[in-house]
């Protein structure tokens, strides 16, 4: 295929371009040239800006465009309208955040979120899902019947600087006691960016259209099993300390920011998205241990002392562990 990638130099796009080039596709990247400009010398690079700087795309022709950098509906609509006669197929990376009710399992037919002010363009935690909904609608309006809306959850793997997955690997590798909320059976969901990239390329080749949740693993994965696998991969023989969630909440410590991948009861849908439709159309998942090993190996190439963006800081975890043990001892007396 002749493939145009909007973005392609950071995380999901980077893995997509890697896979596309390995498969022999002809790749053009459109980006601002600010980050990752030295990557992929064998690909064509067009520098521009999605906000008023699309001119480098004019008068060109590709088979498929993959949009990894669309967050604002006005800008997604602009690119879709410009490319409507330049490509056959448009693959858009959306999100499971598009669903209105995070309390329950999410299927492609689940009602979608709506913004109180549909003209807002500031991307925040509150607006992110609603903006993605409007992006999907702008795309479908510009290219009806020719668009694939990919709705991943948490995307993980090498080059993931959100650190939500990496935190647990780095923490397990340090050894000792590891603090976690006392919900060992609560499921966690995520997808390796490379599995996502492989599936999007295959879906582009077959011109798959419509909306698809793209999450993994294929079978429910309890938090306890996830942490046990991380311990096995790191070989540090850590010990998980399951602290009562009510106690953690009283300490103002119970959150997905402190315990990445864990989701509260009121947002359990983010760990129960249904990917059966995508799996039926070819989505596959590599072994969890492989994702863990590769992510940890990448993390170890980062500068020494790199602060993780997610999870508990070591000193805060130590404080909470000491307080939890003291709490348990006081109960036993």
């Amino acid at each position: 295929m002749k493939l145009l990638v909007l973005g392609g130099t950071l995380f999901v796009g980077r893995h997509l371009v890697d896979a596309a080039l390995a498969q022999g596709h002809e790749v053009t990247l459109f980006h601002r040239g600010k980050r990752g400009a030295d990557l992929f010398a064998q690909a064509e690079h067009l520098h521009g800006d999605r906000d008023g700087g699309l001119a480098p795309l004019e008068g060109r022709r590709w088979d498929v465009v993959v949009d990894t950098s669309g967050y604002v509906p006005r800008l997604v609509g602009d690119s879709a309208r410009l490319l409507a006669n330049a490509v056959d197929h448009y693959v858009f990376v959306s999100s499971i955040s598009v669903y209105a009710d995070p309390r329950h399992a999410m299927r492609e037919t689940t009602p979608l979120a709506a913004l109180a002010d549909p003209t807002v363009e500031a991307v925040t935690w509150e607006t992110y899902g609603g903006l993605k909904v409007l992006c999907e609608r702008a795309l479908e309006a510009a290219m009806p019947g020719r668009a694939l809306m990919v709705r991943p959850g948490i995307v993980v793997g090498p080059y993931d600087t959100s650190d939500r997955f990496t935190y647990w690997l780095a923490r397990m590798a340090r050894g000792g006691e590891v603090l976690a909320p006392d919900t060992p059976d609560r499921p966690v969901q995520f997808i390796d960016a490379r599995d996502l990239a492989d599936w999007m390329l295959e879906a582009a080749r077959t011109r798959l259209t419509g909306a698809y949740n793209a999450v993994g693993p294929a079978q429910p994965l309890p938090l306890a099993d996830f942490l046990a696998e991380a311990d096995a991969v790191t070989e540090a023989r850590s010990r998980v300390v399951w602290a009562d969630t009510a106690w953690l909440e009283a300490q103002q410590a119970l959150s997905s920011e402190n315990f990445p991948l864990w989701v509260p009861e009121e947002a359990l849908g983010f760990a129960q998205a249904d990917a059966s439709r995508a799996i039926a159309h070819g989505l596959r998942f590599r072994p969890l241990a492989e994702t863990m090993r590769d992510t940890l190996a990448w993390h170890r190439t980062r500068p020494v002392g790199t602060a993780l963006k997610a999870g508990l800081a070591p000193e805060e975890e130590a404080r909470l562990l000491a307080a939890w043990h003291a709490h348990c001892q006081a109960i036993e007396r």
Side-chain angles (χ1 to χ4, degrees), residues 6-317:
L6 304 182
T9 61
L10 295 180
F11 178 35
V12 173
R14 181 169 180 172
H15 286 296
L16 180 100
V17 174
D18 262 333
L21 292 172
Q23 293 177 22
H25 300 302
E26 182 181 333
V27 180
T28 299
L29 289 82
F30 177 77
H31 58 96
R32 292 177 296 177
K34 294 183 176 181
R35 291 183 289 180
D38 58 334
L39 297 173
F40 308 122
Q42 64 272 52
E44 179 186 23
H45 291 251
L46 300 177
H47 292 165
D49 196 306
R50 297 193 66 151
D51 196 352
L54 296 174
L57 302 179
E58 295 176 357
R60 297 289 302 272
R61 174 76 193 172
W62 296 272
D63 298 314
V64 175
V65 56
V66 181
D67 187 346
T68 68
S69 60
Y71 303 95
V72 176
R74 174 176 60 86
L75 303 183
V76 171
D78 287 348
S79 62
R81 284 187 292 273
L82 185 146
L83 294 169
N85 295 318
V87 300
D88 298 322
H89 192 59
Y90 198 120
V91 178
F92 177 65
V93 179
S94 186
S95 168
I96 61 168
S97 293
V98 297
Y99 298 113
D101 187 354
R103 295 171 298 174
H104 306 293
M106 299 169 175
R107 297 175 178 83
E108 289 84 356
T109 54
T110 298
L112 301 180
L115 292 174
D117 178 5
T119 67
V120 69
E121 293 194 349
V123 182
T124 67
W125 286 112
E126 291 75 23
T127 65
Y128 177 73
L131 285 172
K132 282 289 192 179
V133 172
L134 295 178
C135 286
E136 291 186 6
R137 290 174 180 165
L139 171 55
E140 185 62 26
M143 297 182 61
R146 292 194 286 149
L148 170 65
M149 319 298 183
V150 181
R151 296 173 177 169
I154 293 175
V155 186
V156 306
Y159 311 121
D160 171 23
T161 57
S162 79
D163 293 324
R164 291 173 293 185
F165 186 84
T166 308
Y167 166 74
W168 291 111
L169 303 175
R171 179 60 196 90
M172 284 293 185
R174 290 209 322 265
E177 292 187 332
V178 178
L179 187 66
D182 190 16
T183 52
D185 295 330
R186 184 152 303 181
V188 295
Q189 281 191 321
F190 45 82
I191 185 169
D192 190 306
R194 296 166 296 182
D195 296 333
L196 180 62
D198 288 344
W199 182 70
M200 288 196 296
L201 286 173
E202 179 59 18
R205 186 187 67 80
T206 60
R207 303 297 194 265
L208 193 64
T209 60
Y212 290 79
N213 294 336
V215 296
Q219 301 299 324
L221 176 65
L223 178 61
D225 291 358
F226 170 80
L227 294 180
E229 187 75 3
D231 186 50
V233 165
T234 60
E235 300 181 338
R237 298 183 180 179
S238 303
R239 184 172 77 85
V240 177
V241 175
W242 302 99
D244 181 73
T245 53
W247 181 87
L248 286 170
E249 192 164 19
Q251 304 297 308
Q252 298 183 331
L254 185 64
S255 70
S256 298
E257 289 73 30
N258 285 341
F259 302 104
L261 305 185
W262 178 89
V263 294
E265 192 74 29
E266 62 270 19
L268 199 54
F270 285 117
Q272 295 180 321
D274 180 7
S276 59
R277 189 166 185 241
I279 291 171
H281 285 82
L283 178 61
R284 297 293 180 266
F285 309 100
R286 69 194 63 215
L288 176 57
E290 179 181 338
T291 299
M292 288 182 166
R293 282 193 298 268
D294 292 350
T295 303
L296 187 59
W298 164 76
H299 173 63
R300 286 171 171 165
T301 68
R302 302 163 91 180
V304 175
T306 296
L308 296 177
K309 295 178 182 176
L312 290 166
E315 58 275 12
E316 177 63 6
E317 184 192 34

